[in-house]
């Protein structure tokens, strides 16, 4: 089974369209998202509608659940006062522009999605999807987390050797194996933060006991997205983040 995982689209329709076109040409069996469909770019309704029309299932990100429930803030992390102010501007803009239909869809997204790519009739490997961690969709699970932290998350998720535990949230892709479990951060489709402005998605190939992980970068029309941000009333800094691949990182 070849599975495409897309994370942190953040209302960036040009990036999503480019990724879906790329995925379509690679013969995948299914596509799933890892949350944070909205926020920071001006196409929240279009992104959610595109995923729904394509039958792409997935989990709720912190941005999705907080917008859906009209929470006080997006549950984001800030590195300084300016980033906090920008994040609040984005959250207010998104809440003001999402449709009732979009909010209803976001409200139905599960916290976690468990898949058995090889069928539930065998004890084959599981693919477990969350946004950030198996406990909450706000903590940042970065690649430099200790083996002890990873082992705790593996235990809390109740996954075992051979399984895949996939997530996003940090906008930086990485793959690591701890206690036989594949830990996969799929990066970000719509707001990369690793210095590469291209959209990122993860290709998981699960064949029996053998699992491989490939990160795919896709060129998209960054200028279209940046210019739309500048015309939307969202902070101009968000356009710079897209153009530089995350130079003004720390807000998500």
């Amino acid at each position: 089974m070849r599975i495409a995982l897309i994370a942190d689209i953040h209302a960036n329709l040009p990036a999503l369209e480019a990724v879906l076109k790329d995925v379509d040409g690679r013969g995948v069996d299914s596509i799933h998202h890892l949350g944070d469909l909205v926020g920071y770019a001006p196409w929240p309704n279009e992104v959610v509608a595109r995923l729904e029309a394509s039958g792409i299932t997935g989990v709720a990100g912190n941005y999705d659940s907080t917008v859906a429930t009209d929470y006080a803030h997006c549950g984001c992390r800030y590195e300084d006062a300016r980033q906090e102010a920008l994040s609040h501007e984005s959250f207010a803009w998104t809440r003001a522009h999402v449709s009732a239909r979009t909010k209803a869809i976001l409200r139905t997204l599960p916290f976690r999605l468990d898949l058995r790519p090889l069928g539930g009739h065998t004890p084959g490997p599981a693919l477990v999807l969350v946004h950030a961690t198996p406990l909450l969709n706000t903590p940042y699970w970065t690649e430099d987390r200790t083996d002890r932290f990873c082992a705790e998350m593996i235990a809390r998720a109740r996954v075992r050797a051979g399984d895949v535990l996939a997530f996003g949230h940090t906008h930086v892709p990485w793959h690591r194996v701890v206690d036989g479990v594949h830990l996969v951060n799929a990066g970000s489709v719509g707001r990369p933060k690793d210095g590469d402005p291209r959209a990122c998605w993860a290709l998981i190939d699960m064949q029996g006991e053998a699992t491989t992980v490939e990160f795919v970068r896709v060129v998209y029309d960054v200028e279209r997205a940046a210019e739309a941000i500048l015309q939307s009333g969202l902070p101009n800094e968000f356009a710079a983040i897209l153009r530089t691949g995350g130079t003004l990182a720390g807000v998500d």
Side-chain angles (χ1 to χ4, degrees), residues 76-79 83 140 191 193 241 246 248-252:
C76 308
R77 182 183 67 184
Y78 319 114
E79 294 180 359
Q83 288 181 1
Y140 287 75
R191 209 167 190 257
K193 290 187 174 180
I241 288 172
L248 302 179
V251 185
D252 61 39

Side-chain angles (χ1 to χ4, degrees), residues 18-37:
V19 164
L20 293 182
K21 182 178 180 180
D22 186 69
V23 170
D24 188 54
R26 292 178 182 266
V28 304
D29 296 293
S30 63
I31 310 172
H32 303 281
H33 71 75
L34 298 167
D36 271 9
L37 310 183

Side-chain angles (χ1 to χ4, degrees), residues 162-179:
D163 291 344
V164 178
L165 178 56
F167 43 93
H169 191 47
T170 69
H171 301 205
V172 177
W174 57 270
H175 170 220
R176 182 171 156 195
V177 179
V178 175
D179 294 339

Side-chain angles (χ1 to χ4, degrees), residues 29-87:
D29 296 293
S30 63
I31 310 172
H32 303 281
H33 71 75
L34 298 167
D36 271 9
L37 310 183
V38 302
Y40 300 114
W43 294 283
N45 299 310
E46 293 85 350
V47 162
V48 172
R50 181 73 168 83
L51 294 172
E52 182 186 36
S54 300
I56 297 172
T57 59
V59 298
N62 57 292
Y63 226 111
D64 307 319
S65 58
T66 54
V67 167
T69 58
D70 292 316
Y71 196 63
H73 56 77
C74 64
C76 308
R77 182 183 67 184
Y78 319 114
E79 294 180 359
D80 54 47
R82 178 56 180 160
Q83 288 181 1
E84 181 175 1
L86 291 173
S87 185

Side-chain angles (χ1 to χ4, degrees), residues 114-247:
D114 288 53
L115 304 169
R116 289 278 184 174
L118 304 184
H121 57 286
T122 68
L127 171 60
V128 175
L129 311 181
V130 296
H131 177 63
T133 74
L135 302 179
L136 290 169
N137 63 11
T138 51
Y140 287 75
W141 192 350
T142 53
E143 189 173 12
D144 60 358
R145 289 281 199 173
T146 65
D147 282 354
R148 180 177 179 180
F149 176 89
C150 294
E152 180 182 354
M153 293 300 105
I154 288 168
R156 294 298 188 96
R158 296 186 178 181
V159 291
R160 60 184 184 177
D163 291 344
V164 178
L165 178 56
F167 43 93
H169 191 47
T170 69
H171 301 205
V172 177
W174 57 270
H175 170 220
R176 182 171 156 195
V177 179
V178 175
D179 294 339
V181 176
H182 292 267
L183 306 173
V184 180
N185 188 312
S188 174
V189 169
R191 209 167 190 257
K193 290 187 174 180
D194 58 354
D196 188 338
R198 295 176 298 172
C200 181
W201 64 278
L203 175 60
I204 313 297
D205 196 343
M206 302 177 75
Q207 304 291 340
E209 299 301 317
T211 294
T212 61
V213 178
E214 176 186 357
F215 297 109
V216 183
R217 304 306 290 239
V218 180
V219 174
Y220 76 97
D221 193 345
V222 175
E223 279 307 306
R224 176 189 168 199
E227 286 300 321
I229 288 172
L230 296 176
Q231 298 299 318
S232 69
L234 284 162
N236 290 354
E237 286 92 335
F238 297 164
I241 288 172
L242 297 188
R243 287 169 171 154
T244 61
T247 296

